[in-house]
Amino acid sequence: MEFKDYYKLLGVERDATQDDIKKAYRQLARKFHPDINKEPGAEAKFKEIGEAYEALGDPEKRAAYDQLGKDWKAGQEFRPPPNWDAGFEYSGKPGGTDFSDFFSSIFGSARAERAGRAGRAHTTFHMRGEDHHATIVIDLHDALNGATRTITLRMPELDDDGHVLVRDKNLTVQIPKGVTEGQSIRLKGQGSPGMGDAPAGDLYLEIRFKPDSLYRVEGKNLYLDLPVAPWEAALGASVKMPTPLGPIMLKVPAGSANGRELRVRGRGIPASPPGDLYAVLKIVWPPATDEKARKFYEEMAKELAFDPRAGLGV
Amino acid sequence: MTDETIGAIPAETIGTDPIYSLEELSTACGVQTAWVVELVEHGIIEPHGRSASEWRFSSLSVVRLAKAKRFDRDLGINPAGIALVLDLLGEIDRLRARLNVLKDPRVTSTDRPGEHGT
């Protein structure tokens, strides 16, 4: 098991006051809270600082942690010395259920509190289980077509003796067609088990999309960059473009400017009602690398009375 | 730690259908009813029905309430602050999506128009 430097994780010195520690934790918690920070590593970081604060925020636990000595380095192989914590009494209740092995080896697990709660369940007490919430990252194509995906969730569970076990639970989920980013889907009965005869809670999954190589997403609308030649934009043309339902011919009106958005109704995410697909015109110029192309450009320069900087007043 | 695989479970998109009473919502989310009433007073979740005894909440409320609970538990934010944070996060999500749409993925930093020196 690896040693964890809780002071370093919170960015404070070993002689920091309890107020300094609280302040440092609060600042980091706001920054890395997974509901606020959408970066992939945020949730892991948030858990780490939560664990660090659980250890250092309580003066009794902090004293015990300090007792290990200051020569340990983060990541170093760690084995607690025998009877090292004799004389310390933790009055605070254990906080999280999925702290690291390192934390559990020093401060014990959340056993005692949970055992009490499980004990009550043996009476004729009926209560619906709690709902669980998690985030799931899917491909845009899963939302366009619907998909079956297997996800792994870390769930704290109680065994028969009331011990808390963190279990990796694999769930195969049918993702419905037409979900959008930020929307949640519900899996009935996949939350905590109910007490007594009461039903289990539900599992809610908030949808996030991986970036797509072709389409960009805004709500249920899709945007696609559509390259066109200057003469297609100037003269109008019918051009082939991909859509989630297969390629179509799109009519580009004559006199289209670069960046013009052309709407293809109903070809966005198939929600109800479905979103739209926008083709964003990107005018692409043929390179003047060969003699023939250069001749055309020279001719345009000579024949067209075109001043692109007419509006600049110079 | 054990592994467990279950057959494919159909997920349903959540909607605004009013299904939960105040007590059912509180139980589902593991919070006190008084706190739920406070969230309603701040417009964080919006029930159908006039009086608290008639209130019916949608599954969308479950998701908003769960988020509110995390802000309360993890960051110590009160209901007024939670309402503000949720509004601002919604605005950031909309702006991010718009920014993403406007971004041209094929333009790299070495090939940005207007940045060639003269």
Side-chain angles (χ1 to χ4, degrees), chain A residues 109-156:
Chain A
S109 68
R111 186 174 300 179
E113 183 215 12
R114 293 299 175 125
R117 210 201 269 184
R120 282 207 302 270
H122 291 299
T123 63
T124 52
F125 188 67
H126 302 291
M127 195 165 109
R128 183 177 175 276
E130 253 188 67
D131 293 337
H132 287 230
H133 296 261
T135 302
I136 175 175
V137 181
I138 62 171
D139 288 323
L140 173 62
H141 286 268
D142 297 343
L144 294 172
N145 308 315
T148 301
R149 290 280 170 270
T150 300
I151 56 168
T152 304
L153 296 169
R154 306 204 71 192
M155 282 190 174

Side-chain angles (χ1 to χ4, degrees), chain A residues 227-239 252-256 281-287 292-293 296-297 300:
Chain A
V228 290
W231 48 89
E232 289 172 334
L235 307 174
S238 202
V239 302
V252 177
S256 288
L281 299 186
K282 296 281 165 192
I283 299 177
V284 184
W285 309 89
K292 198 171 174 184
F296 271 113
Y297 278 114
M300 276 200 283

Side-chain angles (χ1 to χ4, degrees), chain A residues 33 35 167 172 186 216, chain B residues 2 4 9 12 70 74 101:
Chain A
H33 196 279
D35 284 311
R167 302 224 290 180
T172 306
R186 178 167 64 157
R216 299 192 295 274
Chain B
T2 50
E4 183 179 308
I9 305 151
E12 50 191 280
R70 292 194 291 271
D74 301 338
V101 161

Side-chain angles (χ1 to χ4, degrees), chain B residues 24-75:
Chain B
E24 285 165 341
L25 180 71
S26 309
T27 310
C29 300
V31 297
Q32 306 280 331
T33 53
W35 194 66
V36 178
V37 172
E38 244 191 291
L39 294 187
V40 172
E41 284 166 357
H42 281 88
I44 295 168
I45 48 176
E46 286 171 12
H48 300 248
R50 286 211 185 118
S51 64
S53 60
E54 289 173 11
W55 280 352
R56 288 294 177 274
F57 297 87
S58 69
S59 45
L60 193 65
S61 295
V62 177
V63 173
R64 302 238 334 152
L65 200 154
K67 214 168 250 196
K69 184 183 169 188
R70 292 194 291 271
F71 284 132
D72 171 84
R73 182 195 64 195
D74 301 338
L75 303 177

